[in-house]
Structures are given as structure tokens and as C-alpha cells.
Amino acid sequence: MRKEDFKSIYKENYPKVMRLCLGYVNGDNAQAQDLAQDVFIKVWENLKTFRNESSLSTWVYKITVNTCLLHLRSTKKLKISNYLPFNLESQSEHVAENKESQFKQLYTCINKLNDDNKAIILLELEGLPQKAIAEIIGINHDALRVRIHRIKNELTKCVTNE
């Protein structure tokens, strides 16, 4: 593999990988950067084994999900971070505090989900097509749609403190 090819893969996928990692670590930028670095090391090391059975970006997402899940299992419990992956500075202070509180609450609720459901909702929030999510997770599309509906209901209850 040429270095230029890897640079292209990195440049195209890094923002998506970083956002997904941020979701797994409650917006902790330093941890997310470490995880993203681990992902791209694995991509580099395993690119020659990529079989083109799915798109390259789907393969990178699968590596990202597996890397993040491995990290979660090794750390057991994550601390809620004060960092968010969103820039709230341009908003008024009151609105910014409210948004920050909502994002923290959402991340807290997402982190209460089991590993598979967390992966599903973070990929859904990333805007990945549901068929690609189903492929990454390893379930059929209809089952995924049902799970997403249930996850959203669970998160709504959690965020609204029901």
C-alpha cells in the first residue's frame, strides 16, 4: 500500500471516526483522539486484508466500533467528562449552558445502553445508512429498525427522567 492511499483514507474518514469515538467517551477529546489513532493504526496494519465485501468506510466504522468497545470493556466504567464535541461559544451563555446540559444528559443516557445498542445509536447519530449499520453490527435491516426504535424510546425516557 502506498502512503498516499493511506493518507486519503485517513483524511476522508478521520472526522467520522473522531465523532464516533467522542460518543463512546462522553466527549472526552483526548481519549477520543487516542482511540482514533488506534483505529487508524489498525486500518494501516490490516488494509491488505480488506476484501472489498463492503465499502471501505463501512470497514473503517467496524474497526472503530470494535476498538471503542474494547476500550470500554478494559476501562469498565467511564467518567462523565466536562468536554463536548460541539462548539457552543457562539450562543448566548444561558442557551449554551442549557445545550451543554442536554448533551451531557444524552451522553450519560447513551453510556447506560449495552454495547451493541450504544454502537447502533452512535452510528445512527453519525448519519450512517441503516443498511450499513446493520452490516457493521451483524444483524438484518428489519431487526435493526426495531432496535433503533426501542433505543430511541429508551433514550427519550432516560433524558426526560421518566
Side-chain angles (χ1 to χ4, degrees):
M1 149 164 270
R2 294 185 346 210
K3 206 183 270 190
E4 294 79 27
D5 294 335
F6 180 76
K7 284 182 183 179
S8 173
I9 293 168
Y10 179 85
K11 192 173 191 175
E12 183 177 321
N13 290 284
Y14 183 81
K16 296 180 268 189
V17 167
M18 187 63 182
R19 284 191 303 269
L20 190 55
C21 292
L22 280 165
Y24 274 97
V25 295
N26 274 352
D28 184 323
N29 200 47
Q31 272 190 321
Q33 286 175 340
D34 288 346
L35 286 170
Q37 181 178 358
D38 290 346
V39 166
F40 284 104
I41 289 170
K42 290 174 184 175
V43 168
W44 173 260
E45 292 173 343
N46 295 296
L47 196 56
K48 57 187 160 271
T49 65
F50 177 63
R51 297 181 304 243
N52 287 317
E53 293 174 357
S54 63
S55 72
L56 186 63
S57 63
T58 299
W59 182 71
V60 172
Y61 269 119
K62 180 101 174 146
I63 291 172
T64 305
V65 168
N66 289 338
T67 301
C68 291
L69 290 176
L70 184 64
H71 170 74
L72 289 178
R73 287 182 191 118
S74 68
T75 58
K76 301 290 182 201
K77 291 283 184 183
L78 295 176
K79 296 176 187 169
I80 297 175
S81 172
N82 293 329
Y83 304 105
L84 290 174
F86 308 100
N87 182 359
L88 301 174
E89 294 175 38
S90 62
Q91 300 177 8
S92 71
E93 192 170 308
H94 175 70
V95 172
E97 287 175 9
N98 188 30
K99 288 263 189 217
E100 184 175 338
S101 174
Q102 289 174 340
F103 285 125
K104 280 185 180 179
Q105 180 66 24
L106 179 61
Y107 274 131
T108 300
C109 292
I110 287 172
N111 278 312
K112 291 179 183 177
L113 298 172
N114 69 39
D115 290 345
D116 284 344
N117 287 349
K118 181 187 282 191
I120 289 169
I121 199 63
L122 289 173
L123 291 168
E124 174 76 7
L125 290 172
E126 182 62 30
L128 210 63
Q130 289 184 353
K131 287 186 180 189
I133 297 171
E135 186 179 330
I136 290 167
I137 301 299
I139 61 176
N140 74 46
H141 184 242
D142 290 333
L144 176 76
R145 289 178 43 211
V146 170
R147 295 240 328 242
I148 288 173
H149 177 74
R150 290 179 180 159
I151 293 166
K152 286 180 179 179
N153 285 341
E154 188 177 340
L155 289 174
T156 300
K157 286 179 183 176
C158 178
V159 169
T160 58
N161 295 316
E162 289 182 11

